[in-house]
């Protein structure tokens, strides 16, 4: 995968990043929610590489093609449960305002303990960072991922 061959050009940082990224991918947040947040973050922060690579990961966690298309466009096209809606609002508010709004925070806090809230915000921040780093480094999508991303309406640049 191009992400690994590119980031490995700085070996010590790459090694430490793998641990951090792995901790987020296998953290305490429910897998479906994690993938919803990653896909929405990739869309909102113009991350086509992460978008494409998380389409299948999302599907494996129960994210449908219709839901994926909504994550890459208009969220109102899907009836999200209250926790999912709040987590997706956290992504959008971070993109629009730079922080999660008090009302959204209150909803999230009824579902998550303080550690889970930190993990959610770190997940958003991590994929925000990855989107901009990979875009700036001009990391190309693998051809099979281009085909996969093109199979879903919407998404970054869509």
């Amino acid at each position: 995968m191009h992400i690994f061959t590119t980031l490995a050009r700085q070996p010590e940082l790459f090694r430490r990043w793998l641990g951090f990224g792995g901790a987020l991918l296998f953290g305490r947040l429910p897998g479906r929610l994690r993938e919803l947040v990653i896909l929405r973050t990739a869309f909102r922060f113009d991350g086509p590489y992460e978008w494409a690579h998380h389409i299948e990961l999302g599907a494996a966690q129960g994210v449908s093609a219709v839901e994926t298309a909504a994550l890459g466009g208009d969220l109102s096209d899907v009836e999200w449960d209250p926790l999912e809606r709040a987590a997706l609002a956290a992504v959008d508010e971070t993109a629009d305002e730079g922080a999660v709004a008090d009302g959204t925070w209150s909803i999230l806090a009824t579902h998550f303990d303080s550690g889970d809230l930190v993990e959610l915000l770190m997940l958003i921040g991590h994929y925000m960072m990855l989107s901009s780093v990979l875009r700036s480094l001009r990391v190309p999508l693998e051809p099979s991922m281009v085909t996969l991303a093109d199979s879903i309406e919407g998404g970054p640049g869509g």
Side-chain angles (χ1 to χ4, degrees), residues 94-139:
T94 299
D96 295 339
E97 305 298 327
V100 178
D102 291 344
T104 301
W105 190 258
S106 294
I107 296 167
L108 291 169
T110 66
H111 295 276
F112 290 138
D113 66 24
S114 61
D116 293 336
L117 291 168
V118 169
E119 185 175 327
L120 175 65
L121 296 178
M122 294 294 280
L123 183 68
I124 295 167
H126 181 249
Y127 282 89
M128 181 174 89
M129 176 205 65
L130 272 180
S131 293
S132 64
V133 167
L134 297 176
R135 195 174 55 254
S136 292
L137 290 172
R138 299 342 186 240
V139 175

Side-chain angles (χ1 to χ4, degrees), residues 12-33:
E12 182 62 21
L13 186 59
F14 177 65
R15 182 181 65 77
R16 292 173 186 263
W17 169 78
L18 282 175
F20 179 70
L24 289 171
L25 282 178
F26 301 103
R28 296 188 335 192
L29 297 177
R32 174 182 160 82
L33 186 71

